[in-house]
Amino acid sequence: MASFLDTITPEMLYADPYPIYQRLRRDHPVAEIPALGCWLVTRWQDVRQVMSHSQTFTTGFPSAMSEIFGSDNILSSSGDLHRGLRASVEEVFEPERAGLAREYARKLVIERGSGMHGQADLMGEVLQPVAAEVFRWMLSLKADSTTLLRLARALWLGALDPGDPAKLAVAAAAMNELDAALTPWLEDLGPDPSSAIARWRHITPGSACPRGVAEILPTIRVILPSLPEPGWAAGNLLVALFNDPDQRGLVRDHPELLGDAVHEVLRWMPPFGLADRMTTRPVELGGARLPAGAHVRAAIGSANRDETVFERPDTFDLRRRRQPLVTFGYGEHACLVRAFIPAIVEGLVAGILDVHPAVRADRSKQSRVAGWDARYTARLCVDGLGDSATEYTPGHRRTVSAQLTPSTRKGPGHDPALRLMRSGGQDRGAGRTHGQ
């Protein structure tokens, strides 16, 4: 008779991993899954250990995707190379600047959504295009945000299924297009302390020499697939609010609770649900003995629903007491923009609810949340756009300056209007979510 571990398939996890995670946490918290070709780690404490101890659980190991992205990128590297890449840009992504990203996202959603009426696909028409523009602005990339979104989707296709040669070919073509578009600009890019890309190019701790273009392209490639993350998380939050009128009412009557709702959705259904590592030596974890060279997948989505840490973990509840999450990681590979992602998600959802307070799920069209590596709804079909007893006026939640639009070249620290907002637009929730 086949064991439970033998019955687990990628298709089952894609449809809904959470019932499987629950049983694994109970009976097999660290288990080798034959159909997956990896060890799956599902309890909070074990997942945190995998993500924290980079000398035992490394991000740097040969894979099909590392050949596309390049192994010397900020996610796969370690040691001096990794520390140098982080140190170059940490000032740009200080948590107190996250409020600027939230306000920019909210402003763009209001501009894009104000003329919408009736039915729409919010994911395709608003959330993803705005997330792409905020990503472009946040990094000071000289590239069209529509192109960036298209390339991000192609790179993500390969990252999701590196065993499929056709999808890897699509990802490789996207990488080549990205390199061709950015290389001439990067070669001419001068120093600019407000630009993350310029800082990667010119600020090299421990060296007076700027980095070559070939040294920073792998990092740009590997972070581009994360571009859709805020839009996916915002969609997950809207789905949760559509399905729970009581909590939707809480956010409507108490807009200050939206930051708590964002924190909760990043626990309940994080858009990125897995972190890949490889063991550098034999190690015992969760009662299991892993050999050196074992492929380990830390299940972030499972850890955030660990019954020993979170009460009623399968329930979305924005009134839940905030606790540390593993959503953005720990240790040297904790997400560099872990304060910005929740802020952007809050801005996206605030903009939708500001302009369309009566928005609701379109019951005539199916919007299904699915996925395992990433869990989100590809199409968020809604109705009720424009259905409101009162017309939207700026200031309903928070006034957004007309001068907020940043330079197409500069990053979040440059625009004077943005800097002036820092005293009055401090982020309520940024930095309180723990990272990846």
Side-chain angles (χ1 to χ4, degrees):
M1 177 181 293
S3 72
F4 171 62
L5 301 181
D6 293 326
T7 67
I8 298 173
T9 65
E11 293 75 19
M12 293 166 59
L13 289 162
Y14 183 89
D16 187 357
Y18 289 108
I20 298 171
Y21 286 159
Q22 184 180 45
R23 185 166 173 183
L24 287 172
R25 287 194 303 270
R26 185 189 66 200
D27 299 330
H28 309 280
V30 179
E32 188 172 18
I33 313 296
L36 305 180
C38 70
W39 291 76
L40 199 56
V41 182
T42 50
R43 287 182 183 169
W44 193 93
Q45 190 61 46
D46 296 329
V47 168
R48 177 169 178 171
Q49 182 174 340
V50 168
M51 301 177 84
S52 301
H53 297 174
S54 57
Q55 292 194 354
T56 301
F57 301 95
T58 182
T59 60
F61 53 91
S63 68
M65 288 311 296
S66 68
E67 294 181 13
I68 292 177
F69 293 138
S71 58
D72 291 339
N73 63 70
I74 196 169
L75 295 184
S76 300
S77 62
S78 58
D80 291 342
L81 175 60
H82 176 77
R83 286 190 292 271
L85 287 167
R86 286 186 72 99
S88 297
V89 296
E90 280 179 334
E91 185 179 331
V92 175
F93 299 118
E94 292 174 340
E96 58 265 29
R97 296 190 180 191
L100 307 179
R102 181 189 60 233
E103 292 307 320
Y104 188 41
R106 177 174 170 268
K107 172 182 180 290
L108 292 178
V109 168
I110 289 172
E111 290 176 349
R112 196 176 188 95
S114 290
M116 300 176 75
H117 295 277
Q119 300 172 323
D121 168 21
L122 280 186
M123 187 62 68
E125 296 180 45
V126 179
L127 297 178
Q128 287 303 334
V130 170
E133 168 55 23
V134 175
F135 180 95
R136 184 209 62 77
W137 165 79
M138 192 168 67
L139 290 180
S140 303
L141 270 171
K142 187 177 181 181
D144 176 73
S145 59
T146 302
T147 300
L148 286 176
L149 180 57
R150 175 176 57 81
L151 295 177
R153 287 168 173 162
L155 287 169
W156 181 243
L157 188 68
L160 267 179
D161 195 357
D164 187 328
K167 293 178 181 177
L168 277 178
V170 171
M175 182 274 289
N176 290 331
E177 182 180 346
L178 181 70
D179 286 2
L182 293 184
T183 294
W185 170 65
L186 290 170
E187 288 175 342
D188 294 335
L189 184 63
D192 181 352
S194 70
S195 163
I197 302 298
R199 292 176 73 95
W200 269 322
R201 181 85 162 88
H202 292 281
I203 299 179
T204 54
S207 173
C209 300
R211 294 184 181 93
V213 171
E215 294 178 84
I216 60 176
L217 277 173
T219 289
I220 298 174
R221 295 173 200 147
V222 82
I223 63 176
L224 186 57
S226 66
L227 180 157
E229 181 178 9
W232 288 342
N236 291 347
L237 177 52
L238 287 168
V239 168
L241 295 177
F242 293 158
N243 291 336
D244 191 327
D246 291 339
Q247 299 205 53
R248 171 74 179 271
L250 278 174
V251 171
R252 180 195 62 228
D253 298 337
H254 303 279
E256 69 276 8
L257 293 180
L258 184 54
D260 294 319
V262 170
H263 183 90
E264 173 66 352
V265 83
L266 290 171
R267 178 203 69 83
W268 179 69
M269 194 174 293
F272 288 141
L274 295 165
D276 284 273
R277 300 291 191 268
M278 181 171 285
T279 55
T280 60
R281 59 180 180 83
V283 62
E284 186 169 327
L285 181 71
R289 187 72 178 171
L290 281 65
H295 180 196
V296 175
R297 308 204 83 183
I300 295 166
S302 175
N304 282 343
R305 295 197 186 191
D306 190 326
E307 299 84 352
T308 67
V309 179
F310 304 98
E311 187 178 353
R312 298 180 298 109
D314 292 329
T315 300
F316 173 88
D317 187 356
L318 65 87
R319 296 157 296 193
R320 185 186 304 275
R321 178 177 64 86
R322 288 201 186 197
Q323 295 173 259
L325 311 178
V326 296
T327 304
F328 298 115
Y330 284 93
E332 70 172 2
H333 282 282
C335 180
L336 187 62
V337 293
R338 58 191 178 277
F340 280 67
I341 299 300
I344 296 168
V345 176
E346 184 176 346
L348 293 171
V349 176
I352 293 293
L353 297 181
D354 279 348
V355 182
H356 300 292
V359 66
R360 57 187 178 270
D362 182 355
R363 303 301 179 186
S364 69
K365 299 177 182 177
Q366 187 177 22
S367 295
R368 186 172 68 92
V369 178
W372 178 38
D373 288 76
R375 191 158 182 82
Y376 61 96
T377 176
R379 297 180 69 244
L380 182 58
C381 300
V382 300
D383 200 354
L385 299 176
D387 295 351
S388 176
T390 58
E391 186 176 339
Y392 168 76
T393 56
H396 173 63
R397 287 173 183 263
R398 196 185 296 112
T399 300
V400 181
S401 168
Q403 302 177 34
L404 186 62
T405 305
S407 160
T408 57
R409 185 173 66 86
K410 302 299 184 181
H414 178 79
D415 192 286
L418 297 183
R419 289 202 301 269
L420 287 173
M421 288 182 58
R422 290 167 68 178
S423 60
Q426 289 295 323
D427 176 49
R428 292 194 304 270
R432 290 190 281 175
T433 305
H434 290 260
Q436 171 171 282

